[in-house]
Amino acid sequence: MTDIQRPRGSRRHLVAVRSKDWRLYRYQETEPWKLFDLEKDAREEEDIADQYPDVVEKLAYNHAEWKSTLAPLLTKPEEEYVNPGPVTPAGYSWVVTDGWAVPEKKQKR
């Protein structure tokens, strides 16, 4: 699948490592790494990961070491979220509605 065919927002899971002229990346953790020599292939058209397995291994190791320093991702709680309702106290010029209610208009004196 090319970049053009990927759905919008698909780069949010992109993993990339850059070292000198090497760029190693993959879109998802389950995909194989792709390697590019940016000096010779600035447009990243030819994946050379098979030709330089030692570079892939080194950069992938560097990525894994860096990733191990990150805090774990937050996970969605199992319980269902319940909206507590309006939280803005009255008297602060805010009107909180369900989207259908129309606030009463103040009459001019």
Side-chain angles (χ1 to χ4, degrees), residues 4-86:
I4 296 171
Q5 296 169 327
R6 290 187 183 274
R8 201 167 178 209
S10 64
R11 292 178 185 248
R12 73 180 69 177
H13 299 290
L14 176 69
V15 178
V17 180
R18 173 89 189 261
S19 178
K20 299 181 183 177
D21 289 328
W22 298 112
R23 181 167 186 258
L24 182 74
Y25 83 91
R26 62 183 173 191
Y27 280 98
Q28 299 284 337
E29 292 288 334
T30 57
E31 291 185 11
W33 287 106
K34 294 181 181 184
L35 179 69
F36 299 95
D37 182 349
L38 298 178
E39 182 180 349
K40 297 176 183 172
D41 182 17
R43 294 179 61 158
E44 299 179 12
E45 296 176 327
E46 183 183 350
D47 176 13
I48 55 174
D50 293 339
Q51 298 171 28
Y52 297 94
D54 53 328
V55 175
V56 172
E57 184 179 345
K58 180 184 176 196
L59 294 179
Y61 175 79
N62 291 346
H63 173 263
E65 285 291 305
W66 170 80
K67 186 178 175 183
S68 71
T69 67
L70 300 177
L73 292 174
L74 296 176
T75 56
K76 182 180 174 187
E78 294 299 320
E79 67 272 1
E80 177 102 13
Y81 173 75
V82 178
N83 187 343

